[in-house]
Amino acid sequence: MTASAATTGRLAGRIALVTGASRGIGAAIARAYAKEGAELILTARTTGGLEELDDEVRTLSGKTSLLVPFDLKDFDAIDRLGAALYERYGKLDVLVGNAGVLGTLSPLGHISPKEFQEVIDINLTANWRLLRSLDPLLRQSEAGRAIFVSSGAARGPRAYWGTYAITKAALEMMVGIYAQEILQTNVRANMIDPGRTRTRMRAKAYPGEDPQSLKTPDEIVAKFVDLATADFTGNGEIVKAQ
């Protein structure tokens, strides 16, 4: 199965970078991409989590991932990542901006300036820096695909969701603008709303919720595969994963 996926999978031969890959939805995306034959570049803050995931990827696809442990708030590192990937691959076929933080669910006036800035840095600015650094590599692909993770919190004011909702709304606007700017290229950019999924972030936001009532990350990543294929030509869309 692993040998056939490498040559006949829907992502065979495609180079895909996934942020926030050490757990949750990011890890599930990596596993799904591995099953479809992708060459993986995996980033997260925790080296141990990336190494454990790489073991799973090798079992699924027979391939070793390129592991890049770093903090997305290190914007200079994002620039270095783009340069390093150009030297190694010369292109990037798929970018998945998955990493994100919830922040504190609190009245806006109670959020500290430091935390407000941190959520903006990770959920919004880091994804802009990724686009800025990796757009030239996506344009070198015959079918570059940029996929970012949004949330229903982005659409319509929601009390106490403060910085998370604000950053996701801004992210949707940013990706929509980028999608308009790449109309005449082979690159396409879209958003995916995972919906109610069994993750640590969900548990933090809804501590009284029964996790067994939610789908697992592995159950909701089919759309991430669809949008990463060369055949998917949608652009500027917000796609629901479930």
Side-chain angles (χ1 to χ4, degrees):
M1 182 178 73
T2 57
S4 63
T7 56
T8 64
R10 296 176 68 198
L11 302 178
R14 287 176 69 72
I15 302 165
L17 185 152
V18 182
T19 70
S22 62
R23 64 173 186 251
I25 293 173
I29 294 167
R31 288 190 289 267
Y33 283 8
K35 291 176 184 176
E36 293 293 344
E39 302 280 347
L40 292 174
I41 305 159
L42 305 175
T43 82
R45 287 179 296 176
T46 54
T47 302
L50 288 175
E51 291 174 344
E52 290 177 10
L53 178 59
D54 188 42
D55 290 340
E56 294 184 70
V57 167
R58 282 202 301 270
T59 300
L60 291 168
S61 68
K63 299 179 181 180
T64 299
S65 306
L66 175 62
L67 306 182
V68 188
F70 76 102
D71 191 328
L72 282 173
K73 296 195 302 293
D74 185 348
F75 301 141
D76 290 339
I78 294 177
D79 290 343
R80 292 194 296 271
L81 175 64
L85 295 183
Y86 179 78
E87 289 296 324
R88 183 167 181 140
Y89 301 108
K91 68 168 185 172
L92 181 67
D93 298 300
V94 184
L95 163 63
V96 181
N98 162 73
V101 293
L102 180 64
T104 301
L105 300 185
S106 165
L108 280 171
H110 296 179
I111 299 169
S112 72
K114 179 180 179 181
E115 181 180 0
F116 191 87
Q117 188 61 55
E118 179 174 314
V119 178
I120 289 175
D121 285 348
I122 296 173
N123 291 0
L124 180 61
T125 307
N127 284 312
W128 167 67
R129 294 296 292 252
L130 284 165
L131 274 182
R132 180 175 177 272
S133 179
L134 302 177
D135 169 73
L137 295 176
L138 290 168
R139 290 172 185 257
Q140 291 300 311
S141 169
E142 293 182 357
R145 300 291 179 261
I147 304 165
F148 293 89
V149 176
S150 189
S151 166
R155 296 175 291 282
R158 185 179 299 187
Y160 310 120
W161 281 72
T163 44
Y164 183 76
I166 290 167
T167 54
K168 289 299 184 179
L171 179 65
E172 288 192 356
M173 179 60 72
M174 184 188 77
V175 175
I177 291 169
Y178 179 63
Q180 291 296 307
E181 293 173 350
I182 55 176
L183 285 173
Q184 304 305 316
T185 76
N186 292 325
V187 183
R188 293 293 176 262
N190 296 282
M191 307 282 302
I192 293 183
D193 179 354
R196 300 169 66 250
T197 307
R198 196 185 309 169
T199 62
R200 292 186 187 182
M201 184 184 293
R202 180 80 188 186
K204 180 181 177 182
Y206 298 94
E209 188 174 56
D210 178 8
Q212 299 306 314
S213 69
L214 307 173
K215 289 187 176 181
T216 67
D218 289 288
E219 293 177 302
I220 62 96
V221 293
K223 292 294 184 182
F224 285 91
V225 175
D226 292 343
L227 270 63
T229 65
D231 294 336
F232 187 86
T233 57
N235 190 45
E237 297 182 11
I238 301 172
V239 177
K240 291 189 176 181
Q242 55 178 311

